[in-house]
Structures are given as structure tokens and as C-alpha cells.
Amino acid sequence: MRTYHCFWLLLWAGQPHQSFLTPLSKRTSGFPEREKVLVLSGNSRQDFHRSKRSWMWNQFFLLEEYTGTDYQYVGKLHSDQDKGDGSLKYILSGDGAGDLFIINENTGDIQATKRLDREEKPVYILRAQAINRRTGRPVEPESEFIIKIHDINDNEPMFTKDVYNASIPEMSDVGTFVVQVTATDADDPTYGNSAKVVYSILQGQPYFSVESETGIIKTALLNMDRENREQYQVVIQAKDMGGQMGGLSGTTTVNITLTDVNDNPPRFPQSTYQFRAPESTPLDSPVGRIKANDADVDENAEIEYSITEGDGYDMFGITTDKDTQEGIITVKKALDFETKNLYILKVEATNTHVDPRFLYLGPFKDSATVRIQVEDVDEPPMFSRPAYIMEVKEDVPLNSIIGTVTAQDPDAAKNPVKYSVDRHTDMDRVFNINSGNGSIFTSKPLDRETLLWHNITVIAAEINNPKQSSRVPVFIKVLDVNDNAPEFAMFYETFVCENAKAEQLIQTLSAVDKDDSYNGHQFSFSLAPEAASSSNFTLQDNRDNTAGIFTRKTRYNRHETSTYFLPVVIADNDYPIQSSTETVTIRVCACDHRGKMLSCNAEALIHPTGLSTGALIAILLCIIILLVTVVLFAALRRQRKKEPLIISKEDIRDNIVSYNDEGGGEEDTQAFDIGTLRNPEAIDDNKLRRDIVPETLFMPRRTVTTRDNTDVRDFINQRLKENDTDPTAPPYDSLATYAYEGNGSVAESLSSLESVTTDGDQDYDYLSDWGPRFKKLADMYGPMDSDKDS
């Protein structure tokens, strides 16, 4: 409903002037209006003193969304200086002046030329002035006024989202907050009820409700179960004008999802499960799967399985497959059909995440019975132990039994078993086994010092079914016996000074023994009986597995005896006692007064160990090999290897052959003896080609003797025919390639095939550098400029 106002604006001056309102000559159609006039007042031109003037009202009101066909009338401007004679002109400026708002310059009527929308611009500020049409000078100062756009209800409420999504837990209480929806109205909230929005629910009852003023959606029904219905679609309406009739409205959709809570216990679909498992099932292998159903989802449906009781409690285990929530029954211990063939288990399924709010619904677990039938299979023999450890002395006689392995068929048939040694583990065949009773015995001598442990594998197989076999490791330790004599720890070669004193220590000896001693080795040292009385040295046993060599006399002469060989006997204290005789080499050397060696008769003992015999032999062999290599190389240099015609496929060069001997024809009897062709005896010699060996050797055929006066042409044709029909007649087919020029050519290749230019483009100056043999060519192909110059 529109409201119309009529306002007066009076301007008071110091002297009285006439003021009046001029009615509009033209009205806009539509609603009946009262005339709106804005009066401008001022003194006459003759008055130079004007009293204070003021605007009583300086604004117009205009309704938005005008739908009429004519311009919408806004108001009228009028000045008290206007006498009605057309001498004044009204001018309008400001927001939309001349475009959106126009003024009649004679009457001051203001009109709107377009539809106005308050939501786009609610206020327009304009300025008005009256000027003298003839002089163009203002008769009144410029005055400012406002045009306000009155709102009408032309905008429906708009929700901030087209679709809302929300979720709440299932089994929620009545009044549980779900989501809040919001709608806005673009109309003026300060003017009427155009922007007052009220919410209501159009779809979604009786499950949900909405607060009319706030738009908060709440649950309206108790114990909504997700397992019955998970998705709900609610339609909310927002209506302006406070929800009164005639108001505009908008709607939105709210999708509400019930989230899961653990309000359902797991349940087995059946009370008893049956499974079969062969007795050969490996440990930790699955036997079967069971599953309890839970109507919940995600973590609320997670189940933990366990075996609570039964005679197979320790034989089987159960785990949970996290992906399928199934219980996997596995074997924990080896099954044996002959021992027990039926197991009964009680399996329980329990929720891992229990919500205390729903414990009143009952225990969140369930149980079922599982029966497992063990099936009999043909099993391989089983050894009495998983591994065998045996000991044997290294001096045991051959074919001595060192131990026995035992295996038997676990099946009810008790098939006989035969034994064998896996030769991949006993490549040297040191041990053997009795195939009937499993007795292991030695077949070769043992040596602890060579190999302490022998690890072999014994195979037990059923005689009736050799494929059924099993293996067991056997670890054999070789025990030590005292079968090695002690010996020096190193090769001893020492010296004694010529000026040595008696009882002077010249060398300390130590020994080692390859045998093992549980209480430690104890060696004794002594001189050999043949050297004990006549030796120039004495030996003292230190009783700590070492001994010292001392001088017996005061001085030694290297010119008389340069080297002494002292035999030493070393014995151990084990049973049986082992001993050996080692030799110590003592050289007599010249020394200074401090006992430092200066020189010896045989060699300066800077390196007392010297070179061994093996090293000398190796050096001698190297020298011999080097000499033989040098001799062979010199022989090969003498015999130059003839180079092939073609070294490689790419090395193709022309060969220049000079033919400068012209034959005499048939009359030339000196160049060739025709009698050789006429003599059939010439081919009696069985001369074969040396370049190709025929597959089969035939004796040459004897041809008919030709007459002496036979024409040569007929003779050659006859011989040609005979050789064409004779498979044994040489020469055989062969191919000779002449493409190599030979060694030592200064000119290298003269082939034109390698030339990439024409004769005119080539430079033949290099022919002069090839020597006197190519002087003629150099003159023939030399530069032509010299001839022209001459």
C-alpha cells in the first residue's frame, strides 16, 4: 500500500514577498496522488538585503518497482521569483539527473524515467536551482534535496545454501540439535514486515522440527534407528511478512544422515560349524573361517574372536581378519589322526568397542560350537629326534658304528623304513648308514685336525612308497687323540759370536701341538742323545713350554766350523706320548765387543730366514719361461707371415698387372710345346690340387692316343669334352681374387674408385713427392699453366 505525502517548503525573507504553489499541468496515471511542491523563496531584484531563509522540508519519497507506462511523478520545484511569465528556468543536477530524473525547466516538475529498485540504491541526492532565462544568472542559490525510495515486498527470502547436509547419531533424544538454516531477505528490515522471515517445515515430519524464528532443526522422534532408516530429507520454508498471507517464500533441502552407534551385538548365523583338517596340516595354517554378523558399521562392528573352552583349546588358535571381520581358525600344534581325530571348540565373538549407554540391550557377544574332524593321510616317517649329535674319536677303526638314528611310520600301517645318507652333505663318503637299522658307521679315516665337525643329513623313506620321506640333521664331532707330535713354532736359525762366553743364552725355543689338550699342553725339551755329550751347546728346559740354548765353551772359530746343527727332542705329556726331533741351525759369526753381529762365513744374517727352496725354484722357472718366450719371438720374426690378399672386407684396392709379352700364336712353337698336350703319358702322374682336397680319390682315366697330325682345335675340343665328363679331372672350381697391391708401395692405392672428384678438380702435385718412378706421371698430370706460359 502506498502512502502519499504533501510537503511545503517555505523560505522567509526580511521583506514580505508573495509565495504560492503552482499546480502540475500533467499527472502520472496509476494511484491518486497529492501534489508535492518544493518552494524556493527569495527577494526581488530591487531588494539588495535579504532576510534569512530556510527549507521546511527538503526530501521526496518515491515507491520502487513502478509498473506504469508513463513517467513516474516525483514532485515540483517552485521559486517565489517565478512570475509565471517564463523568465525563470529550473535546473536539476546530482544523482541520476538528466537520465534517471528529468525536470520541466519551465514548470519545475520532476519525473522518474525508469523503474527504481531500493535494493540497488535507496537514496538519491540532487541539487536544484532557478536561473534567469535571459541573463543566465541564478535568482536563487543552489539548494540540495533528497529522493528516498520506499520499499515494497519484492524480494523473497533466500537461504545461504541450496542444500544443507547434517548428521546426528542414531538413537538420539528428542530435541537434539541437528543444524541451523539461515535465510536472508533483501527488502528493507526497517520498513514494514517485508524482511521479517519465519521458518516452517514442509517435509520431514514427524521426525524433525524447526524453530520458526531461528531456523534450528531438532529431532522430534525418539529412538530413530539407523539400521531401519539411515537417510532423511527435510524441506524447510522461509516466508517473509512474518509468515502472513501474501508474503514471499523460499525453500531449501536438508539431507540428514543418522550415524552409527554400537547398539547391536554380534550374532552367529548358526550355532554349530563343521571343519575338516588333514593331519599333515602345517602349523599356523588356516582350517576354516567363521563370522558373526553385526548390523553396525565401522568400528562399532569390529569383532574379536576367542576360543573359550573345548578339548582343542591348546591345539587350535583363532585370529580376526580385520578386513572381513571373520574368525580364522589355525593349527597351533601338530595334528595326529592316530592320537585324536575329533576336536570340539567353543568360539566366542565380542564387540571391541562397547557403548555403555546401550548395555541395557544385553551382552554384546555371542558364542558358537566348532567341530574339527582330523583326516588321516599317508605321512612320511618320523625321526625320534629333531636332530642328532654324535661323537667319535679320530682314531676309530673303519666301519665302526658311531651312533644310530631311528624313524618309524606314524600311520596305522607301520610301513617299514629304509635309511640313507644324503650324499650332497657327505661328498667324500666319510660315513655310511645301515639302511635297515639306521646305524651310522665310518667308511674313511677321520682327522680332527682337518675337520672337527661333520654335518650330514640322513633320509628315512618308506619302502613301499619312497616318495614319503623325511630328513634329519646329524652333527658328528670328531674327538681328539694324541696323534700329532709337538714341533717348533717357527724355523729357528740363529748365530753365536766367536767371542761368546760360556753359559751365554743365544736362542729361546717354543713349540706347538696340533692336538687338543683339555688341561693345556705341557712340552719337554732335550738334546738328542747323539748330541747330548759332544755338542758345543747346552739346552735348558724352562718348564713353561719354552727352552733356552746356551753356549758350552768360551770361544768359537768360524774358520773351523761355520755352522752347527743342533738336534732338539720335543715331547708332550699326553697318552700316548708323542715326540719329534727338530733342528736348530747355529752359525758362527764375527761380532763386536757388544755382541752385535758383523759378518758370518756363509752370509750376512740380516735376513736370517733367507730364501726357501720353493722360492728359488719359482725364480728359476720364471727365468726359463722368459728365455723360451724370447726364443720363440725371434723365430717368429724370421718367418714373416704372408699377408692375405684381402685383410678385411673394407680393404679393397686395385692391382695393376702389366701384360707386355705378346705371344706368337699357333706358329710359336718355342713358347709352348704342343707335344705335351698330344702325349697321354703326361697325365700319368697322379698330381692333385693342393688348395682343395677332393672328397673321393679316383685314379685318372687313360685317354685314347691322338694322331700327330690331328688339328689342334679338334684336339682341344676332345680333351675339353673328356674333362667335362670326368669328375676326377682337375682343376676344380675355384675363385681367385686379385685386389691387393702388395707391400712397400710408396704410392699406396691408385684406384679411381676412391676418388670423389673429377680429373679437373684433382691436384696432382703430390706425384712429384713419390720419387723418380713417378716422374713421368708427375709431368703428365702436372699443372697446365706452365705450358700456357711458355
Side-chain angles (χ1 to χ4, degrees):
M1 179 177 182
R2 294 187 177 181
T3 304
Y4 301 93
H5 304 273
C6 182
F7 300 94
W8 290 81
L9 183 62
L10 300 178
L11 181 64
W12 296 90
Q15 297 181 359
H17 295 280
Q18 183 181 3
S19 296
F20 56 87
L21 296 176
T22 302
L24 290 172
S25 60
K26 185 177 181 180
R27 293 300 188 98
T28 57
S29 61
F31 298 96
E33 292 185 356
R34 296 176 60 188
E35 187 179 51
K36 294 173 283 187
V37 181
L38 182 61
V39 180
L40 304 175
S41 62
N43 60 347
S44 60
R45 293 179 176 272
Q46 291 82 9
D47 296 331
F48 296 99
H49 300 282
R50 299 179 61 185
S51 61
K52 181 180 179 182
R53 65 180 181 181
S54 62
W55 295 96
M56 294 184 63
W57 184 75
N58 62 343
Q59 61 183 356
F60 293 108
F61 291 90
L62 192 64
L63 289 177
E64 66 172 337
E65 303 296 341
Y66 172 69
T67 59
T69 57
D70 298 331
Y71 291 162
Q72 186 178 6
Y73 179 73
V74 178
K76 182 181 181 65
L77 296 178
H78 184 72
S79 175
D80 55 1
Q81 299 294 327
D82 189 359
K83 306 301 183 181
D85 54 359
S87 61
L88 294 183
K89 178 181 179 181
Y90 295 96
I91 298 175
L92 188 66
S93 62
D95 295 340
D99 179 23
L100 186 59
F101 300 102
I102 61 175
I103 187 171
N104 189 321
E105 61 182 17
N106 296 323
T107 63
D109 294 329
I110 302 174
Q111 292 177 303
T113 62
K114 299 179 181 179
R115 294 176 59 181
L116 303 178
D117 188 358
R118 188 201 67 84
E119 286 72 33
E120 293 182 1
K121 190 174 179 65
V123 176
Y124 295 87
I125 301 175
L126 295 97
R127 293 178 296 278
Q129 190 175 34
I131 63 174
N132 189 289
R133 188 183 298 273
R134 182 171 55 84
T135 62
R137 301 179 65 182
V139 297
E140 294 288 347
E142 187 178 54
S143 299
E144 185 178 88
F145 66 96
I146 298 173
I147 299 177
K148 287 187 175 181
I149 309 301
H150 267 185
D151 182 48
I152 64 173
N153 190 18
D154 60 342
N155 291 279
E156 70 276 4
M158 298 291 293
F159 283 94
T160 56
K161 296 181 180 179
D162 295 333
V163 178
Y164 288 83
N165 294 302
S167 61
I168 57 168
E170 62 174 331
M171 310 298 289
S172 296
D173 297 333
V174 175
T176 301
F177 174 83
V178 180
V179 70
Q180 183 177 11
V181 296
T182 304
T184 57
D185 196 318
D187 293 326
D188 190 359
T190 63
Y191 183 74
N193 293 327
S194 298
K196 186 177 181 181
V197 178
V198 175
Y199 301 94
S200 62
I201 184 168
L202 300 182
Q203 177 184 323
Q205 295 175 332
Y207 307 103
F208 300 95
S209 63
V210 63
E211 293 183 358
S212 59
E213 295 183 358
T214 62
I216 296 176
I217 302 175
K218 299 180 179 180
T219 57
L221 190 64
L222 185 64
N223 293 335
M224 288 189 291
D225 193 359
R226 185 199 65 83
E227 288 71 31
N228 294 331
R229 184 177 177 183
E230 185 177 3
Q231 297 286 340
Y232 294 87
Q233 190 175 73
V234 179
V235 178
I236 303 296
Q237 182 190 64
K239 190 174 183 180
D240 59 11
M241 298 296 293
Q244 298 178 5
M245 185 179 296
L248 303 178
S249 63
T251 60
T252 188
T253 301
V254 182
N255 295 321
I256 302 175
T257 303
L258 296 184
T259 59
D260 185 57
V261 297
N262 193 6
D263 58 341
N264 293 280
R267 290 288 181 263
F268 283 105
Q270 58 193 68
S271 60
T272 304
Y273 294 86
Q274 296 277 355
F275 296 106
R276 292 181 178 272
E279 62 177 336
S280 59
T281 303
L283 298 182
D284 298 327
S285 297
V287 174
R289 290 172 174 253
I290 60 176
K291 184 177 182 181
N293 298 325
D294 194 327
D296 297 322
V297 294
D298 299 332
E299 68 173 14
N300 297 318
E302 292 182 0
I303 301 174
E304 188 71 28
Y305 296 90
S306 61
I307 299 176
T308 56
E309 58 183 73
D311 54 1
Y313 180 81
D314 58 342
M315 298 294 295
F316 299 92
I318 188 168
T319 57
T320 303
D321 189 335
K322 298 300 182 181
D323 296 329
T324 62
Q325 295 300 316
E326 292 178 317
I328 306 174
I329 301 175
T330 57
V331 178
K332 290 174 58 178
K333 293 184 178 181
L335 303 177
D336 188 6
F337 174 82
E338 289 73 23
T339 303
K340 187 176 180 61
N341 57 15
L342 179 63
Y343 295 92
I344 300 176
L345 310 174
K346 185 178 180 181
V347 178
E348 187 175 83
T350 308
N351 276 138
T352 55
H353 300 86
V354 179
D355 194 337
R357 296 178 300 170
F358 304 103
L359 289 177
Y360 67 92
L361 298 177
F364 282 78
K365 60 183 179 179
D366 194 15
S367 61
T369 301
V370 178
R371 298 170 60 89
I372 301 176
Q373 184 73 41
V374 180
E375 296 178 341
D376 187 23
V377 296
D378 189 7
E379 298 177 275
M382 293 183 60
F383 285 93
S384 59
R385 302 178 189 175
Y388 291 85
I389 300 177
M390 301 178 182
E391 294 181 348
V392 59
K393 291 186 177 181
E394 61 178 328
D395 62 345
V396 67
L398 296 180
N399 299 322
S400 298
I401 297 176
I402 61 175
T404 303
V405 297
T406 304
Q408 62 179 358
D409 185 8
D411 298 324
K414 300 298 179 182
N415 294 319
V417 177
K418 64 177 181 179
Y419 303 92
S420 62
V421 176
D422 186 357
R423 291 306 173 188
H424 292 92
T425 60
D426 186 22
M427 302 293 291
D428 296 332
R429 297 180 177 267
V430 179
F431 301 95
N432 212 332
I433 190 170
N434 189 311
S435 62
N437 57 20
S439 298
I440 300 176
F441 56 89
T442 60
S443 58
K444 288 185 178 181
L446 303 176
D447 187 6
R448 188 202 68 87
E449 288 72 32
T450 302
L451 186 60
L452 177 62
W453 284 92
H454 294 268
N455 302 328
I456 65 174
T457 300
V458 175
I459 303 173
E462 294 182 6
I463 296 178
N464 300 332
N465 187 10
K467 293 183 178 179
Q468 293 294 335
S469 63
S470 57
R471 298 166 175 262
V472 67
V474 179
F475 307 103
I476 303 174
K477 183 179 181 180
V478 181
L479 300 179
D480 183 47
V481 296
N482 192 23
D483 58 346
N484 290 279
E487 57 187 11
F488 279 152
M490 58 181 294
F491 176 75
Y492 288 104
E493 184 176 5
T494 184
F495 71 95
V496 62
C497 295
E498 288 181 311
N499 56 356
K501 297 179 181 180
E503 301 299 328
Q504 180 179 343
L505 177 65
I506 62 174
Q507 182 66 49
T508 301
L509 307 178
S510 62
V512 294
D513 194 336
K514 295 180 181 179
D515 293 324
D516 190 12
S517 177
Y518 299 100
N519 299 323
H521 291 289
Q522 184 65 41
F523 304 123
S524 61
F525 298 86
S526 62
L527 292 178
E530 64 273 13
S533 59
S534 61
S535 176
N536 294 310
F537 301 93
T538 60
L539 181 67
Q540 179 181 343
D541 191 348
N542 298 327
R543 304 297 180 181
D544 59 353
N545 294 335
T546 63
I549 299 176
F550 294 86
T551 57
R552 174 173 287 184
K553 59 182 183 178
T554 303
R555 295 186 63 84
Y556 295 86
N557 191 344
R558 57 175 173 162
H559 298 290
E560 295 179 358
T561 304
S562 62
T563 304
Y564 293 92
F565 298 98
L566 186 66
V568 178
V569 178
I570 310 172
D572 56 21
N573 62 344
D574 292 334
Y575 180 83
I577 295 176
Q578 300 287 342
S579 63
S580 65
T581 301
E582 301 288 332
T583 302
V584 179
T585 302
I586 305 174
R587 299 185 183 276
V588 180
C589 301
C591 302
D592 58 11
H593 65 281
R594 292 176 297 183
K596 183 177 180 181
M597 181 184 64
L598 298 177
S599 64
C600 295
N601 193 22
E603 58 178 334
L605 294 178
I606 299 175
H607 299 287
T609 57
L611 292 176
S612 63
T613 305
L616 293 174
I617 294 174
I619 294 174
L620 183 60
L621 288 176
C622 292
I623 294 173
I624 294 173
I625 293 172
L626 182 60
L627 291 175
V628 171
T629 304
V630 171
V631 171
L632 290 177
F633 182 74
L636 291 176
R637 290 282 294 180
R638 293 192 187 98
Q639 297 179 358
R640 288 188 176 181
K641 185 178 179 181
K642 185 176 181 181
E643 297 184 2
L645 293 177
I646 301 178
I647 297 176
S648 65
K649 294 182 179 180
E650 297 179 356
D651 190 9
I652 299 176
R653 288 173 279 185
D654 295 339
N655 188 19
I656 300 177
V657 181
S658 176
Y659 298 94
N660 56 6
D661 187 10
E662 183 177 358
E666 296 181 357
E667 298 178 357
D668 187 3
T669 58
Q670 296 180 357
F672 183 77
D673 186 6
I674 196 64
T676 305
L677 294 176
R678 300 177 182 273
N679 185 11
E681 302 297 334
I683 62 173
D684 288 346
D685 295 338
N686 188 14
K687 296 181 179 180
L688 300 178
R689 291 188 56 171
R690 291 181 296 177
D691 57 344
I692 299 177
V693 179
E695 297 180 357
T696 307
L697 297 178
F698 298 94
M699 293 304 295
R701 296 186 302 174
R702 185 175 298 277
T703 58
V704 182
T705 306
T706 57
R707 300 188 305 272
D708 293 341
N709 57 354
T710 303
D711 186 68
V712 175
R713 177 178 297 176
D714 296 337
F715 170 75
I716 292 177
N717 290 335
Q718 180 182 355
R719 288 291 186 265
L720 179 61
K721 182 177 180 180
E722 292 175 356
N723 284 275
D724 286 343
T725 57
D726 185 5
T728 64
Y732 305 101
D733 292 339
S734 61
L735 175 65
T737 303
Y738 302 93
Y740 188 72
E741 182 176 353
N743 293 329
S745 174
V746 181
E748 297 178 354
S749 175
L750 299 179
S751 173
S752 62
L753 297 177
E754 299 179 358
S755 176
V756 296
T757 57
T758 62
D759 293 340
D761 298 331
Q762 292 192 23
D763 184 10
Y764 296 96
D765 293 339
Y766 57 86
L767 294 175
S768 302
D769 301 330
W770 287 0
R773 295 184 180 181
F774 298 92
K775 185 176 184 304
K776 188 67 176 177
L777 285 175
D779 297 337
M780 293 173 60
Y781 291 90
M784 303 300 296
D785 295 340
S786 60
D787 298 335
K788 295 179 182 180
D789 296 337
S790 61

